[in-house]
Amino acid sequence: MATSDAGDQGTPLQPAPQYSVHETQREVLQSDARYRVCRWGRRAGKNVTGAIDVVEYCRRPWASQWGPDDPQKVLVWWVGPTYDQALKHGFEKVKSAVPNAWIASSGRSEPYYIEFVNGARVEFRTFDKPESLQGEGVDRIVLDEADQMREGIWYGDLEPMLLDSRGCALFISKPYRPRSWFHRFYDYGQSADYPEYASWHATSADNPFLAEDPEDKRGTVPPHLFEREYLAELPDDGGQVFRDLDDKLFTGDYEVTVEREHDPSGEFIGELRRSVDAVTTPVAIGADFARSRDYRVTAALDAAGDLAYYHRARNESWDGIEDHLRGVYDTYGGILLPDASRDNKIVADLAGAGVRVSPVSFSPKTKKQLIETLATLVETGELSVPDVEALDQLHLELRQLQEDVSESGYTRYHAPDDGYDDSVDALALAASKFDRISRSASRRASRDDTDTGVSTI
């Protein structure tokens, strides 16, 4: 126990709060390891554990061997990715966990703070603004979504804050990056060689207080997200987005016609198509336009989830692209989803020509939604493409697609520096309307089955 001349040592704030916690939460809260690391899934109770830890330390700091015993000397930092998250998951949870009579003052200007009547103070800061992580010594740090934070911020800004009072830290996070400092700290906590560290792994299913079984999400969200968000695990490949492609996507057993054009680079240039009579209409047509060295790719899915059309080309004029897309639409019908990120006349001209167009402007947020929808459909086996040489480029792009998580926790999907993702984008555009076209086909089939000569539209 730390030494102190605190006159009110041994008189905690009362009444003692009553908490409902699961077993792993209890283990964390009862541990007095200096560095506690929680690699936990979504809704496993990370932030609740952090809030309880803050409250219990502030109401009786002498119960911990770390930091001062005198509440009037206690300063706790809750550090999150952004102020919105620090407010929602830190400030509001801590404030709602204690009686109003315990709070001497609080503030919602940055940094947010809560000051208790015994003098203990909690400040809520963010690691997306490292310049704000400066000041006097800190006795306890709760680091929320720790695996999103750069290693240098811990060693350069936060850890030195604990030196004055030999303070401690609680790290809570879902896993985001393989081989990160957070994972290293977690491994320390699993080893007897690092007695100041303790670590716990918990999945969403370890929380018995949830109304819904998290396992019900398996298969309904992309597998890499399910493993990270609910199981608090990173896949062995470090987060590959599309896996088991040969078993889950390249399974189409139907005839296709392939016309390959000459390309000096050896890349596939050309067209793969199915007979109009063989596809299940309506069809969704995705078109990703070329940028600098990239390719223009068009991919169409029918209402059964089968690939109807694929075309890859480069060095085209805008008029040529417009003619191509109009030709694909005239052949298959349905709906065209072109990349509308660039200011060009194609979308307006196609719409003016009677093409049913639903343009998509690419942004990191839009692409994230498109890729995750595609990943879910692939994982659940709702889509198929034929396993033919003409689609090797699509296979390669799917396999190589990279997922990065920014310092603020934003997920971005992109091709490797020396690769492409045009085929993935085109397929994802088409897949974004799969639910819509499949429902349309089902309704039409139902009308056909019950056709009495009276329209049910």
Side-chain angles (χ1 to χ4, degrees):
M1 182 178 296
T3 60
S4 173
D5 57 359
D8 61 346
Q9 179 174 324
T11 307
L13 292 174
Q14 297 288 356
Q18 300 298 308
Y19 310 108
S20 295
V21 295
H22 57 72
E23 183 59 33
T24 311
Q25 287 177 302
R26 184 175 294 106
E27 291 177 9
V28 175
L29 294 167
Q30 290 178 348
S31 170
D32 204 24
R34 187 177 189 186
Y35 302 114
R36 291 167 295 159
V37 185
C38 296
R39 197 185 82 214
W40 289 9
R42 181 184 293 273
R43 308 303 298 161
K46 299 186 298 297
N47 299 111
V48 170
T49 302
I52 294 173
D53 189 71
V54 168
V55 170
E56 287 301 304
Y57 179 65
C58 288
R59 68 182 288 262
R60 47 174 192 161
W62 54 85
S64 172
Q65 65 173 314
W66 312 108
D69 288 350
D70 185 352
Q72 296 187 35
K73 298 180 180 180
V74 165
L75 176 60
V76 177
W77 274 8
W78 181 293
V79 183
T82 66
Y83 271 115
D84 284 345
Q85 290 175 275
L87 173 67
K88 179 180 178 181
H89 300 303
F91 179 89
E92 291 180 351
K93 275 189 167 56
V94 171
K95 194 171 184 181
S96 65
V98 301
N100 289 336
W102 284 21
I103 300 177
S105 64
S106 63
R108 287 176 174 261
S109 60
E110 300 175 4
Y112 310 129
Y113 77 91
I114 297 173
E115 190 160 312
F116 292 92
V117 293
N118 65 358
R121 181 180 175 92
V122 187
E123 295 180 354
F124 300 84
R125 297 174 179 261
T126 70
F127 55 74
D128 67 337
K129 298 178 179 177
E131 65 275 8
S132 71
L133 303 177
Q134 306 294 328
E136 56 191 301
V138 180
D139 307 305
R140 202 176 195 89
I141 295 173
V142 176
L143 189 50
D144 186 21
E145 295 297 3
D147 202 21
Q148 295 181 16
M149 191 184 77
R150 296 199 313 267
E151 181 174 11
I153 296 176
W154 170 250
Y155 288 113
D157 297 293
L158 294 178
E159 187 183 36
M161 294 287 187
L162 302 175
L163 295 177
D164 290 352
S165 63
R166 203 162 182 259
C168 62
L170 171 64
F171 308 93
I172 55 178
S173 187
K174 298 184 290 290
Y176 289 94
R177 298 180 175 89
R179 299 172 299 279
S180 69
W181 67 272
F182 174 78
H183 283 267
R184 187 168 68 250
F185 284 12
Y186 177 85
D187 290 341
Y188 289 168
Q190 299 292 301
S191 171
D193 295 335
Y194 300 89
E196 287 192 336
Y197 290 79
S199 61
W200 297 263
H201 172 247
T203 71
S204 303
D206 288 325
N207 185 350
F209 305 114
L210 298 180
E212 184 179 359
D213 185 355
E215 278 294 319
D216 292 342
K217 299 295 183 182
R218 189 186 293 273
T220 66
V221 298
H224 67 291
L225 292 181
F226 181 80
E227 291 184 35
R228 185 183 75 197
E229 300 288 324
Y230 295 95
L231 303 183
E233 298 280 5
L234 282 180
D236 291 340
D237 55 21
Q240 186 175 319
V241 181
F242 297 95
R243 297 171 299 166
D244 301 326
L245 289 166
D246 292 335
D247 296 329
K248 294 180 177 178
L249 180 62
F250 287 81
T251 58
D253 185 18
Y254 39 83
E255 290 187 5
V256 295
T257 299
V258 176
E259 293 184 4
R260 180 165 187 163
E261 302 172 16
H262 173 70
D263 181 54
S265 69
E267 299 271 4
F268 176 79
I269 296 292
E271 180 182 74
L272 178 151
R273 63 181 183 274
R274 291 172 61 204
S275 166
V276 177
D277 296 336
V279 304
T280 304
T281 58
V283 169
I285 307 165
D288 183 61
F289 296 157
R291 290 168 180 77
S292 61
R293 69 183 184 91
D294 296 339
Y295 291 77
R296 190 271 307 146
V297 177
T298 304
L301 290 168
D302 72 6
D306 298 331
L307 187 72
Y309 184 84
Y310 174 84
H311 189 273
R312 188 169 187 253
R314 72 188 313 180
N315 299 325
E316 301 171 297
S317 68
W318 288 111
D319 288 342
I321 294 174
E322 181 179 337
D323 290 343
H324 159 75
L325 293 177
R326 188 177 301 180
V328 177
Y329 181 83
D330 289 345
T331 300
Y332 293 99
I335 185 170
L336 173 65
L337 298 103
D339 169 7
S341 305
R342 303 176 71 176
D343 185 16
N344 61 70
K345 294 172 63 271
I346 290 181
V347 173
D349 289 349
L350 289 171
V355 176
R356 189 180 182 191
V357 181
S358 179
V360 178
S361 295
F362 268 85
S363 68
K365 181 178 180 180
T366 302
K367 181 155 183 173
K368 178 176 184 292
Q369 294 169 341
L370 290 170
I371 295 301
E372 291 178 1
T373 296
L374 177 61
T376 299
L377 292 171
V378 170
E379 176 66 18
T380 55
E382 295 181 72
L383 306 182
S384 82
V385 302
D387 186 13
V388 296
E389 183 180 354
L391 294 178
D392 283 354
Q393 179 64 34
L394 173 62
H395 197 297
L396 176 65
E397 291 182 20
L398 289 165
R399 193 172 68 248
Q400 290 188 339
L401 192 72
Q402 296 182 358
E403 175 191 26
D404 288 340
V405 181
S406 69
E407 294 169 12
S408 61
Y410 196 83
T411 302
R412 183 174 74 94
Y413 298 100
H414 63 94
D417 292 340
D418 58 349
Y420 304 97
D421 57 4
D422 317 283
S423 297
V424 176
D425 288 349
L427 187 64
L429 285 165
S432 69
K433 296 295 185 184
F434 173 67
D435 284 349
R436 181 173 172 180
I437 62 174
S438 61
R439 286 196 304 268
S440 177
S442 296
R443 288 194 298 268
R444 186 177 60 198
S446 297
R447 290 197 298 270
D448 291 344
D449 289 343
T450 59
D451 190 6
T452 60
V454 179
S455 173
T456 58
I457 298 177

